């Protein structure tokens, strides 16, 4: 076989070259044409391709669909050597002569019957026990062929007994044995030689809990087996029997490609999971503040901890989102680094003149820097870590918000009529009711009832086009993932077996418009503002806007650039 993709014949430019020694095919070879040899692998005398192989055997030949070599099921390719998934697994069985069709193929375990005859027999009348199945009579007058790889995967629920005593799930121990030094666990040899769990009672209860958890979510049997095997491995090499399993301990399972995320999901539900990883924003903050002097870095760390995790002691603070904390830190770092370069070692040394010196002269940069520094000094002043707040008398210029602009209606109309039910439903919710990106991700099936949608504290009466598209999406969701435990309205193939909402990226890719979700929402609010003549109260009731945010849209009613929009609304 050639090492790479065989090149076409330079004469006819249709067939591939005969072999590596010549650039011509057998028809165009000098002194020819010559007869094409049979395939060196399957012996076929037709459809010769190159390097002594035919089209069906050469891995660079155009793909074809054919029948399975053993059960004759239609729909296989050369990916598994012209075998369906079932017969491919049967290659580990013994080879013998079938009692029914008299072919020499791989046989069913403990029976002298091939897989084809066994499938035909199991499809007809059968006994309560497969061992009493008669494979001869159903195959006397012919066999029924079938399509390949159409058998539904086995799930844990189909194998779980209906009534079985459940071992108690004991809580993990509270102590943890210290070790002299850590020994890296090597799983390159697989599961062989791994010690069993030291606490057999807790291991049995945890294994049964994982089995029931997988059955409730209709996991496939192989996936559930991998999760249970991973939990058993983790319990086997832990130093403290019965202690909670940490995230760093579970990372060793990646050596054998076990599902660490699913294992963590089961252990979290059982109360046996301890995430000991350092958050990514913590590592990012440490890297950014390395160049700052120690007193200043410690004061900034105090502000960072309160902003990120909140505070229950007076003055109390609710935790802010990681995005907000990261933005404020990035806006304030240039000023802090400048002060450190000038010789200041603590924020107690900063005066109002120093703040004015590092602020940009104008624009959005000035507003962002002043807002971040004011947040830092205000919190440190409340915590009595600085004497005064040098930003108290400095005006924080508010940047002008961008003017809302309409979206191309042709693109919106195309998205609303898209055959993808997810895209049509997401577009309808945004362009009719102006939902935010976070609202779309947080929607649950229980929020949709009686033709109304609960969005936070608001109750939205669904428009008829929106209700129609949501009904189509729910039918598609039920048909595609009938046993999904996820309570959210929108799911995809990865979140269907979990309970968390879809990500922001999924919503943006599903919407698939040149603008963002916010742009489509602004288009809807802008249309409502012009349709009502600038009624800010209606914008507040319909879309949950504050008065200041509503004024951003109502001020465009008399704008000369929006005359065409008003004319279009009047014509409707």
């Amino acid at each position: 076989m050639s090492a790479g993709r065989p090149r076409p014949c330079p004469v006819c430019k249709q067939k591939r070259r005969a072999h590596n020694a010549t650039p011509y095919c057998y028809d165009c070879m000098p002194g020819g044409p010559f007869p094409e040899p049979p395939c060196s692998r399957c012996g076929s005398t037709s459809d010769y391709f190159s390097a002594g192989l035919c089209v069906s055997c050469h891995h660079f030949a155009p793909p074809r669909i054919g029948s399975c070599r053993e059960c004759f099921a239609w729909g296989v390719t050369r990916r598994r050597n012209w075998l369906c998934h079932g017969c491919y697994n049967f290659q580990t069985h013994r080879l013998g002569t079938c009692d029914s069709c008299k072919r020499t193929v791989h046989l069913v375990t403990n029976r002298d019957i091939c897989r084809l005859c066994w499938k035909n027999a199991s499809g007809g009348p059968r006994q309560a026990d497969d061992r009493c199945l008669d494979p001869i009579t159903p195959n006397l007058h012919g066999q029924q062929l079938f399509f390949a790889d159409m058998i539904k995967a086995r799930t844990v629920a189909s194998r779980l007994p209906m009534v079985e005593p459940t071992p108690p799930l004991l809580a993990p121990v509270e102590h943890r044995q210290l070790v002299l030094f850590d020994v890296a666990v090597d799983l390159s040899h697989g599961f062989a030689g791994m010690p069993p769990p030291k606490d057999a009672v807790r291991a049995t209860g945890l294994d049964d809990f994982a089995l029931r958890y997988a059955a409730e979510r209709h996991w496939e049997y192989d996936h559930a087996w991998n999760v249970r095997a991973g939990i058993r491995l983790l319990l086997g090499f832990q130093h403290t029997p019965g202690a909670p399993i940490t995230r760093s301990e579970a990372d060793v399972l990646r050596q054998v490609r076990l599902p660490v995320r699913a294992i963590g999901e089961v252990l979290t539900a059982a109360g046996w999971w301890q995430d000991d990883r350092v958050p990514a924003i913590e590592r990012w903050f440490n890297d950014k503040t390395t160049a700052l002097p120690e007193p200043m870095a410690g004061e900034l760390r105090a502000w960072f901890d309160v902003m990120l995790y909140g505070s229950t002691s007076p003055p109390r603070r609710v935790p802010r989102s990681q995005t907000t904390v990261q933005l404020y830190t990035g806006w304030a770092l240039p000023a802090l680094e400048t002060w450190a370069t000038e010789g200041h070692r603590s924020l107690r040394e900063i005066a109002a003149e120093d703040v004015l010196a590092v602020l940009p002269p104008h624009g959005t940069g000035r507003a962002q820097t002043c807002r971040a520094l004011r947040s830092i000094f205000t919190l440190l002043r409340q915590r009595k870590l600085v004497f005064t707040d040098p930003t108290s008398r400095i005006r924080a210029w508010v940047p002008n918000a961008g003017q809302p602009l309409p979206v191309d209606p042709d693109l919106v109309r195309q998205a609303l009529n898209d055959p993808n039910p997810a895209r049509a439903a997401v577009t309808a919710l945004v362009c009719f009711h102006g939902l935010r990106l976070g609202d779309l991700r947080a929607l649950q099936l229980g929020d949709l009832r009686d033709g109304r949608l609960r969005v936070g504290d608001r109750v939205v009466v669904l428009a008829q086009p929106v209700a129609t598209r949501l009904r189509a999406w729910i039918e598609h969701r039920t048909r595609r993932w009938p046993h999904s435990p996820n309570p959210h309205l929108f799911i995809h193939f990865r979140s269907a077996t979990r309970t968390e909402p879809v990500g922001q990226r999924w919503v943006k890719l599903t919407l698939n418009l040149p603008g963002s979700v916010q742009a489509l929402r602004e288009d809807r609010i802008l249309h409502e503002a012009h349709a009502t003549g600038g009624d800010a109260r209606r914008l507040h009731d319909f879309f949950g806007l504050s008065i200041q945010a509503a004024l951003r849209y109502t001020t465009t009613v008399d704008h000369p650039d929006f005359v065409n929009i008003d004319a279009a609304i009047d014509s409707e």
Side-chain angles (χ1 to χ4, degrees):
M1 184 182 296
S2 61
R5 188 180 301 275
R7 298 180 180 179
C9 174
V11 179
C12 64
K13 298 182 180 180
Q14 295 181 356
K15 293 186 176 182
R16 302 290 173 173
R17 60 182 183 178
H19 46 78
N20 295 338
T22 178
Y24 305 101
C25 64
Y26 280 102
D27 293 342
C28 303
M29 195 177 297
F34 296 99
E36 297 175 344
C39 178
S40 60
R41 178 175 297 178
C42 66
S44 175
T45 58
S46 60
D47 295 333
Y48 180 86
F49 187 71
S50 180
L53 299 176
C54 63
V55 173
S56 300
C57 297
H58 200 287
H59 65 290
F60 281 128
R64 286 188 176 184
I65 299 177
S67 300
C68 178
R69 291 191 291 109
E70 294 205 356
C71 69
F72 307 113
W74 176 259
V76 300
T77 61
R78 59 173 174 268
R79 177 170 169 264
R80 292 195 183 98
N81 198 14
W82 299 102
L83 292 171
C84 65
H85 185 74
C87 292
Y88 182 80
N89 294 332
F90 261 55
Q91 300 304 298
T92 58
H93 293 199
R94 62 187 178 90
L95 192 65
T97 303
C98 176
D99 289 344
S100 177
C101 63
K102 308 302 180 183
R103 296 183 303 142
T104 303
V105 290
H106 294 84
L107 305 178
V108 178
T109 306
N110 300 328
R111 301 294 296 270
D112 293 334
I113 299 298
C114 67
R115 184 171 179 269
L116 175 60
C117 298
W118 184 264
K119 290 289 295 180
N120 279 275
S122 61
R126 57 185 301 177
Q127 305 294 331
D129 193 350
D130 285 345
R131 292 174 296 181
C132 302
L133 185 67
D134 180 18
I136 306 298
T137 304
N139 294 283
L140 290 177
H141 305 288
Q143 295 168 320
Q144 176 65 46
L145 300 182
F146 47 90
F147 290 101
D149 303 335
M150 297 294 289
I151 303 174
K152 186 178 180 180
R154 298 171 297 178
T155 60
V156 182
S158 61
R159 289 192 166 197
L160 190 65
M162 297 299 295
V163 179
E164 183 181 353
T166 303
L169 178 60
L170 301 179
V173 299
E174 298 182 357
H175 65 277
R176 187 177 292 273
Q177 178 65 44
L178 301 179
V179 295
L180 184 60
F181 54 88
D182 293 329
V183 179
V185 179
D186 184 15
L187 296 179
S188 58
H189 54 279
F191 299 162
M194 292 304 301
K198 301 178 180 62
D199 193 334
V201 177
R202 283 184 167 85
T204 303
L206 195 58
D207 181 76
D208 185 79
F209 178 85
L211 185 63
R212 303 284 175 176
Y213 188 89
E216 292 176 358
R217 284 151 181 78
H218 293 266
W219 285 359
E220 294 184 3
Y221 183 81
D222 294 340
H223 181 63
W225 188 92
N226 290 333
V227 172
R228 296 167 62 193
I231 295 176
R232 186 175 180 84
L233 284 175
L234 292 174
L235 293 176
F237 58 71
Q238 62 179 176
H239 300 289
T240 306
I245 297 175
T246 62
R247 183 62 172 79
S248 57
E249 292 175 348
D251 284 338
V252 72
L253 298 179
R254 299 187 183 277
Q255 301 179 17
V256 287
R257 298 182 179 181
L258 289 179
V260 177
R261 183 165 185 171
I263 292 173
E265 180 182 344
V266 174
L267 294 176
T268 301
W272 276 70
W273 186 253
Q274 183 178 351
D275 195 348
D276 57 347
R277 296 177 299 177
V278 178
I281 191 171
E282 291 274 359
R283 298 194 299 269
W284 175 85
F285 181 82
N286 294 333
D287 294 340
K288 292 294 183 179
T289 58
T290 303
L292 298 180
E294 179 54 34
M296 187 180 297
E299 294 161 351
L300 189 63
R301 163 61 72 173
W303 167 84
F304 176 81
D305 291 339
V306 174
M307 288 286 290
L308 187 61
Y309 303 108
S311 176
T312 57
S313 59
R316 297 178 179 89
R317 286 241 180 172
V318 296
R320 307 296 294 271
S321 65
Q322 292 188 7
T323 303
T324 301
V325 178
Q326 193 168 5
L327 285 175
Y328 275 40
T329 306
W331 293 342
L333 275 177
L336 299 178
E337 292 173 352
T338 302
W339 291 334
T341 305
E342 293 175 353
H344 297 285
R345 298 187 56 82
S346 174
L347 294 178
R348 298 180 180 183
E349 306 173 5
I350 304 302
E353 294 77 10
D354 299 321
V355 176
L356 292 174
V358 297
L359 286 179
H362 53 76
T364 304
R366 180 183 180 88
Q368 293 174 347
T369 305
C370 188
R371 182 182 304 177
L373 294 178
R374 177 166 295 175
S375 173
I376 295 173
F377 281 106
T378 301
L379 191 145
L380 295 180
R381 177 68 178 84
Q382 293 174 350
R383 298 283 165 175
K384 299 181 180 180
L385 296 178
V386 296
F387 300 109
T388 59
D389 181 4
T391 63
S392 58
R393 298 183 179 276
I394 298 178
R395 182 179 179 183
W397 295 90
V398 179
N400 295 328
Q403 183 175 344
L405 298 175
V407 181
D408 188 359
D410 294 334
L411 297 177
V412 178
R413 191 178 297 110
Q414 179 184 0
L416 285 173
N417 299 325
D418 195 275
N420 183 7
R423 187 189 184 197
V426 170
T427 307
L429 286 172
V430 180
C431 72
F432 276 88
H433 300 297
L435 267 65
R436 298 181 177 88
L437 178 60
D439 297 334
L440 292 172
R441 298 177 58 228
L443 285 178
Q444 297 191 0
L445 292 173
D447 298 333
L448 180 63
R449 58 183 182 270
D450 300 332
R452 289 173 171 80
L453 186 66
R454 276 74 180 173
V455 184
D457 298 334
R458 298 185 295 127
V459 178
V460 179
V461 180
L462 294 177
Q464 185 59 37
V466 181
T468 302
R469 287 162 175 80
L470 284 179
R471 191 179 304 111
W473 160 249
I474 293 177
E475 291 176 356
H476 171 78
R477 182 188 190 273
T478 305
R479 184 171 56 255
R480 179 79 178 275
W481 302 286
H483 305 294
S484 174
N486 199 323
H488 293 88
L489 178 62
F490 294 105
I491 59 176
H492 53 77
F493 73 100
R494 288 184 178 176
S495 65
T497 58
R498 305 167 187 164
T499 57
E500 69 263 17
V502 295
Q504 298 181 5
R505 185 172 180 270
W506 181 87
V507 178
K508 295 176 182 178
L509 292 177
T510 302
L511 191 62
N512 193 20
L513 288 177
S516 59
V517 177
Q518 181 63 23
L520 192 59
R521 167 181 161 85
E522 290 181 353
D523 174 80
R524 174 66 183 93
I525 301 175
L526 183 64
H527 184 278
E528 186 69 25
H530 284 258
T532 58
D535 191 344
R537 177 59 185 269
R538 182 170 296 187
L539 298 183
H540 167 74
D541 295 337
F542 281 5
F543 308 106
L545 296 177
S546 63
I547 299 300
Q548 183 178 1
L551 293 177
R552 176 169 172 255
Y553 298 92
T554 57
T555 53
T556 63
V557 173
D558 298 328
H559 198 279
D561 293 340
F562 290 88
V563 175
N564 296 332
I565 298 179
D566 296 336
I569 295 176
D570 295 338
S571 63
E572 294 178 358

